[in-house]
Amino acid sequence: MGTGGDGEKSAPALPLEALLALGLDQRTAENALVNSKVTANLAAVIAEAGIKECDKSVGNLLYAVATKYPTNALVHRPVLIKYVLSTKIKNPAQLDGALSFLSNTGPDSLDVKKFEEACGVGVVVSIEEIKSTVTDVLEENMEAIKEQRYHINVGTLCGQVRKRHPWGDAKAIKEEIDNRLAEILGPKTEADNIKPVKKKKEKPAKVEEKKDAVATSAPPSEEELNPYTIFPQPEENFKVHTEIFFSSGNIWRAHNTKEILEKHLKATGGKVMTRFPPEPNGYLHIGHAKAMFIDFGLAKERNGHCYLRFDDTNPEAEKKEYIDHIQEIVHWMGWEPYKVTYTSDYFQALYEHAIELIRKGLAYVDHQTAEEIKEYRDKKMNSPWRDRPIEESLKLFEDMRRGLIAEGAATLRMKQDMQNENKNMSDLIAYRIKFTPHPHAGDKWCIYPSYDYAHCMVDSLENITHSLCTLEFDIRRPSYYWLLVALGLYQPYVWEYSRLNISNTVMSKRKLNRLVTEKWVDGWDDPRLLTLAGLRRRGVSSTAINSFIRGIGITRSDNSLIRVDRLEYHIREELNKTAPRTMVVLRPLKVVITNLEEGKVLDLDGKMWPDASDTDASSHYKVPFSRTVYIEKTDFRLKDSKDYYGLAPGKSVMLRYAFPIKCTDVIYGDSPDDIVEIRAEYDPLKTSKLKGVLHWVAEPTPGVEPLKVEVRLFEKLFMSENPAELEDWLGDLNPNSKEVIKDAYAVPSLATAVLGDKFQFERLGYFAVDTDSTPEKLVFNRTVTLRDSFGKSGPK
């Protein structure tokens, strides 16, 4: 939608009667006269039209020309007015098409043929054609109509008709649909008047089929190689962003005029400008990693800039802890913000725009309670204060700012469209009163802007080229652009992508907050959570997370649940290349090598990397082999079987990097199930060829216990794949999601491990040093298990 013209500097006086003679209703005419810009533009349009009175339909179109005409094409305004007066352009849809065409044309010469095609001149859509098409559309949707009755989305039905008749009278289309629905469904029943309860999720989440994580031979697509190719360049941001449908039948086609776009490009140098805008009210999770990958990644790929902007409109929810964490975690994820900004940096500009909105008759001070606002929205009723005089709203808004009105007693609401099918156009709140000091702005303000008011405006003020957000904001797109169009501001390109949903976890901030505050988990960085702090503590790198995000792509499909196995694949892929091998025994079972002489210790070489050269000392670590060694309890059975590769009475196995050993005796404790020691003999010549290979740890010197470490094993936090859909989601918590092994045994070389070190404990998985480690005792978190096929008989 082109923005309104600037008009003359000194507006000629227009009597109210002159506007009423155009067919404008009393309220519209009165509001127009208190706005000097609108008054000037109306006077100019009336002068160019050379008329004193006209039909209401023509007058409304002329009023729209005066308020919405693009300033870069004023030279063509008289031409448009002639088309309106001659009724070649006779409805809002045609006018919007004309304004869009003229905005893109600017002051250049007018191609009349293309202009007439763009606004449907000469195209006559008869009532009979509308009725016929409405019949077709209703028949196509009859199953849904009979099921939903009067709860059917009439806006969607209107849209289907308008697609076939873009120049048809929108009001006539809606009236015909309403009449036909009444004929089909009959009088409204009691059930029809009850607002339907929204289901938590309209569609069941499709769980991604488990696939073998093996690269195929098919060449990658261009989008796989560069997922950012789908986004337009900044200079292309002159096209219609979205159509805003009003219950009156009007349609605003939001887009930038050439003048506004040129000003924007001059300010940015044509660079891509994005923003990552988290609320500082919690820790970031892996869904935010996808947002960062898109926001920062696009800017980096196009050699542009990305702001880190804290959306701090709610002074009660923000904490410095969260702000510090977010800045630190963004850096850890590999991204560098162009600037760190806060929505509160723009509070003064937002306030001034609010006053401008009131002066335009597009905002009002309201006194309804939250419950009343909800009730009136449900009933599509206007607030009793909606049409209060502009001067009255200006005074009350100033009283709000000065703290003269009690908290909750007033709000500033945008005057959008209370009868709109889209509830996000139902006069959203722009400002509310909160007598709470702001963590960043101090105590200057006691009125704070809402997200819906501030978000789009700050995007525009920061000259954001691509405003990227998740799909649940798609329904807010009309209100986003409504505000920018109403104020004549630059409009960023908005694009929504699917939320990242991963199995066996929850990622809503509300649910995460409950898990933390009610102590179901051990803080925001609990390794079982998919918070970025939790993943990092678990031993996952930012590289693996970004690789996972790139692998799933920048999709708009909002109905798939990504298996956590897929994330684990990317984690393993990296750790397999970066984590050195070592040996730890979780549940030690003592083995005495009876044919190794007392006091003898052999220093053997263990390989940090499977393909390490035997001559490369830096790729090896020392493993002491003594008379007393320890193996996993699960690696010994009293009864052998063909598919078992562990140790059993009379059976031999290979100790990794050492020698074959054969079980010669079993020492029991107080019961037959209590095995306390194994006696074995080793084969120093390694003459045996054995399938079973076990990891182990020995006493470093005779009688000295091996290095003790604490090991924490983690499983999925929830038992169900999609716990968020469960009513009792807390009841789905996995009681076995964490196991702590206090006294595992490790090889001596692990004693020097420090925070940040990661290892593959052979046959057990990948592990990382935890923040709870002390000089006295190391703590390791299992990051991820080894592949399922890696020794199924091994310890779990």
Side-chain angles (χ1 to χ4, degrees):
M1 180 69 208
T3 57
D6 288 335
E8 303 295 329
K9 287 186 178 179
S10 56
L14 270 179
L16 177 63
E17 293 72 21
L19 300 187
L20 296 176
L22 295 180
L24 301 183
D25 62 69
Q26 184 91 11
R27 181 174 62 84
T28 301
E30 288 173 350
N31 286 342
L33 290 175
V34 298
N35 188 310
S36 59
K37 280 190 177 181
V38 173
T39 303
N41 289 335
L42 272 171
V45 166
I46 292 171
E48 289 170 11
I51 59 170
K52 291 185 178 180
E53 59 181 343
C54 62
D55 293 336
K56 182 177 180 179
S57 59
V58 172
N60 284 333
L61 291 177
L62 291 176
Y63 177 81
V65 171
T67 55
K68 302 175 183 178
Y69 195 87
T71 56
N72 65 327
L74 284 172
V75 66
H76 302 304
R77 188 166 66 182
V79 175
L80 177 60
I81 290 170
K82 286 180 182 177
Y83 275 83
V84 171
L85 294 175
S86 65
T87 68
K88 288 182 179 179
I89 291 177
K90 54 182 176 293
N91 60 51
Q94 283 186 287
L95 182 63
D96 285 341
L99 293 172
S100 177
F101 181 87
L102 292 171
S103 174
N104 292 327
T105 300
D108 300 340
S109 59
L110 186 66
D111 187 323
V112 174
K113 185 178 179 182
K114 288 183 178 179
F115 170 72
E116 292 188 345
E117 287 175 359
C119 53
V121 171
V123 178
V124 178
V125 182
S126 66
I127 293 296
E128 288 70 26
E129 286 177 292
I130 289 175
K131 287 183 176 181
S132 174
T133 303
V134 167
T135 298
D136 292 342
V137 168
L138 295 183
E139 285 178 359
E140 292 164 12
N141 292 273
M142 190 57 68
E143 187 177 339
I145 291 169
K146 288 182 176 178
E147 180 184 345
Q148 299 174 40
R149 290 182 57 79
Y150 285 102
H151 294 138
I152 192 80
N153 190 326
V154 175
T156 300
L157 299 176
C158 289
Q160 292 178 28
V161 176
R162 283 196 293 264
K163 278 185 179 179
R164 304 177 199 187
H165 296 304
W167 311 121
D169 188 316
K171 191 172 183 180
I173 291 170
K174 186 175 186 303
E175 286 176 355
E176 179 62 21
I177 289 175
D178 288 340
N179 292 336
R180 291 297 307 282
L181 286 177
E183 290 174 11
I184 294 167
L185 301 174
K188 283 189 177 183
T189 64
E190 189 174 340
D192 291 328
N193 291 319
I194 298 174
K195 184 184 177 184
V197 178
K198 288 185 180 178
K199 294 179 181 178
K200 196 160 194 178
K201 294 208 174 185
E202 293 181 4
K203 302 175 186 176
K206 295 182 290 188
V207 180
E208 179 185 66
E209 288 186 15
K210 192 172 182 179
K211 297 176 183 176
D212 220 355
V214 178
T216 62
S217 57
S221 66
E222 183 182 2
E223 190 172 319
E224 288 172 323
L225 292 171
N226 182 359
Y228 306 108
T229 55
I230 60 176
F231 297 114
Q233 296 292 344
E235 60 270 19
E236 298 177 85
N237 192 8
F238 57 84
K239 300 172 184 175
V240 173
H241 293 292
T242 194
E243 291 186 321
I244 306 171
F245 296 104
F246 291 86
S247 58
S248 64
N250 285 342
I251 304 172
W252 286 9
R253 292 182 171 87
H255 72 282
N256 287 312
T257 64
K258 281 187 177 180
E259 183 181 50
I260 287 177
L261 182 59
E262 285 170 4
K263 182 180 177 183
H264 158 78
L265 293 172
K266 185 177 180 181
T268 63
K271 284 184 175 291
V272 163
M273 306 292 289
T274 61
R275 83 287 178 271
F276 174 58
E279 294 178 70
N281 60 0
Y283 276 48
L284 301 186
H285 55 65
I286 196 167
H288 294 106
K290 179 175 181 179
M292 281 188 262
F293 182 84
I294 298 172
D295 292 327
F296 283 100
L298 172 61
K300 184 176 181 181
E301 192 272 336
R302 300 280 178 89
N303 194 31
H305 300 300
C306 181
Y307 288 89
L308 168 58
R309 183 206 305 156
F310 289 105
D311 179 20
D312 59 344
T313 56
N314 185 356
E316 296 171 335
E318 284 98 41
K319 288 184 181 177
K320 189 175 186 301
E321 171 195 355
Y322 300 141
I323 291 173
D324 293 343
H325 156 74
I326 290 170
Q327 292 196 65
E328 190 269 330
I329 214 76
V330 166
H331 179 75
W332 177 74
M333 283 298 298
W335 306 115
E336 290 299 328
Y338 168 57
K339 288 180 182 177
V340 176
T341 61
Y342 298 78
T343 296
S344 55
D345 295 339
Y346 304 94
F347 276 178
Q348 183 63 38
L350 296 175
Y351 169 73
E352 289 169 4
H353 280 304
I355 292 175
E356 182 183 354
L357 209 60
I358 297 171
R359 290 190 188 281
K360 286 188 170 189
L362 296 175
Y364 60 97
V365 172
D366 189 35
H367 302 290
Q368 288 185 303
T369 64
E371 293 74 20
E372 288 171 335
I373 289 174
K374 183 178 183 304
E375 179 189 351
Y376 275 55
R377 278 179 176 161
D378 291 342
K379 295 179 178 178
K380 296 184 178 180
M381 291 169 54
N382 290 346
S383 163
W385 289 280
R386 193 176 199 265
D387 296 322
R388 73 188 329 158
I390 287 172
E391 290 303 323
E392 191 175 304
S393 279
L394 286 171
K395 181 184 182 304
L396 287 167
F397 189 51
E398 175 63 11
D399 289 346
M400 287 170 62
R401 185 190 69 80
R402 293 173 59 198
L404 302 179
I405 299 178
E407 190 168 321
T411 59
L412 182 71
R413 294 178 66 183
M414 294 176 269
K415 193 181 288 188
Q416 294 169 304
D417 184 6
M418 287 298 293
Q419 287 71 48
N420 204 296
E421 295 292 334
N422 185 344
K423 296 297 183 187
N424 288 281
M425 285 291 288
S426 299
D427 288 12
L428 299 180
I429 290 174
Y431 272 87
R432 70 274 198 216
I433 301 167
K434 281 185 183 290
F435 293 113
T436 304
H438 192 280
H440 190 68
D443 58 2
K444 179 180 177 181
W445 300 94
C446 61
I447 54 170
Y448 293 101
S450 67
Y451 172 87
D452 292 295
Y453 176 77
H455 182 66
C456 61
M457 200 114 57
V458 178
D459 276 355
S460 182
L461 294 171
E462 288 187 340
N463 274 303
I464 299 304
T465 57
H466 299 74
S467 179
L468 310 170
C469 51
T470 48
L471 271 170
E472 68 263 31
F473 291 98
D474 180 62
I475 197 169
R476 289 179 168 179
R477 200 191 267 213
S479 63
Y480 180 103
Y481 283 120
W482 178 91
L483 186 54
L484 298 181
V485 170
L487 290 168
L489 296 176
Y490 160 76
Q491 301 165 27
Y493 169 82
V494 172
W495 194 84
E496 299 90 3
Y497 54 88
S498 61
R499 285 177 66 97
L500 179 55
N501 298 307
I502 298 181
S503 67
N504 302 95
T505 192
V506 294
M507 289 197 294
S508 103
K509 276 191 179 178
R510 183 181 60 81
K511 287 184 169 66
L512 286 171
N513 193 57
R514 279 197 68 185
L515 289 173
V516 173
T517 56
E518 296 177 16
K519 303 198 180 302
W520 296 99
V521 295
D522 304 322
W524 286 99
D525 65 344
D526 188 304
R528 291 168 291 178
L529 296 176
L530 291 193
T531 58
L532 295 177
L535 286 166
R536 177 171 60 178
R537 185 174 179 183
R538 188 162 175 157
V540 180
S541 72
S542 59
T543 307
I545 296 170
N546 284 326
S547 176
F548 163 69
I549 300 296
R550 179 179 282 272
I552 59 176
I554 304 175
T555 60
R556 281 182 61 86
S557 171
D558 65 340
N559 203 35
S560 62
L561 191 66
I562 306 296
R563 286 184 179 270
V564 71
D565 312 48
R566 191 163 174 179
L567 170 62
E568 291 175 349
Y569 164 74
H570 287 276
I571 296 168
R572 285 192 194 95
E573 282 291 291
E574 186 192 23
L575 290 174
N576 187 47
K577 300 170 187 173
T578 59
R581 277 60 172 167
T582 191
M583 291 193 292
V584 171
V585 173
L586 300 181
R587 302 169 183 88
L589 175 61
K590 186 177 182 180
V591 179
V592 176
I593 312 296
T594 57
N595 63 334
L596 183 65
E597 62 187 86
E598 295 270 2
K600 185 170 185 179
V601 178
L602 302 176
D603 272 337
L604 307 178
D605 287 325
K607 285 188 175 182
M608 295 182 186
W609 314 102
D611 55 354
S613 168
D614 291 338
T615 60
D616 182 6
S618 65
S619 295
H620 293 75
Y621 63 96
K622 291 299 179 182
V623 186
F625 180 75
S626 61
R627 185 178 171 86
T628 300
V629 302
Y630 295 88
I631 64 171
E632 297 284 354
K633 285 183 178 179
T634 51
D635 279 337
F636 179 79
R637 287 183 189 173
L638 289 172
K639 289 185 179 181
D640 194 15
S641 61
K642 286 184 179 179
D643 61 347
Y644 175 62
Y645 297 103
L647 190 63
K651 182 180 180 181
S652 296
V653 295
M654 174 66 75
L655 295 183
R656 187 77 159 142
Y657 308 124
F659 307 96
I661 62 169
K662 181 179 181 180
C663 175
T664 58
D665 197 7
V666 180
I667 309 300
Y668 295 93
D670 296 333
S671 70
D673 296 327
D674 182 20
I675 300 172
V676 296
E677 186 178 305
I678 303 296
R679 301 285 168 86
E681 293 180 351
Y682 86 111
D683 175 10
L685 300 178
K686 302 182 182 180
T687 55
S688 308
K689 290 186 178 179
L690 305 168
K691 289 184 179 179
V693 179
L694 308 184
H695 64 283
W696 55 279
V697 172
E699 289 183 349
T701 56
V704 176
E705 195 176 27
L707 174 68
K708 276 189 177 181
V709 297
E710 180 178 311
V711 177
R712 298 170 181 175
L713 306 178
F714 301 106
E715 298 294 340
K716 294 177 176 70
L717 184 57
F718 290 90
M719 294 180 288
S720 300
E721 285 190 317
N722 198 3
E725 286 194 332
L726 302 176
E727 187 173 343
D728 181 20
W729 60 278
L730 286 171
D732 190 56
L733 282 164
N734 179 4
N736 302 311
S737 62
K738 179 180 179 180
E739 181 184 1
V740 178
I741 300 170
K742 292 285 188 181
D743 295 318
Y745 283 160
V747 294
S749 60
L750 266 183
T752 59
V754 295
L755 188 63
D757 286 348
K758 300 169 188 179
F759 303 91
Q760 184 195 106
F761 292 178
E762 296 210 35
R763 300 179 66 234
L764 298 177
Y766 296 98
F767 292 77
V769 178
D770 185 69
T771 52
D772 287 342
S773 296
T774 65
E776 291 73 35
K777 193 168 190 179
L778 286 166
V779 179
F780 291 91
N781 294 324
R782 183 164 68 185
T783 308
V784 68
T785 59
L786 298 172
R787 288 176 178 81
D788 293 340
S789 60
F790 197 96
K792 290 186 179 179
S793 64
K796 302 297 181 187

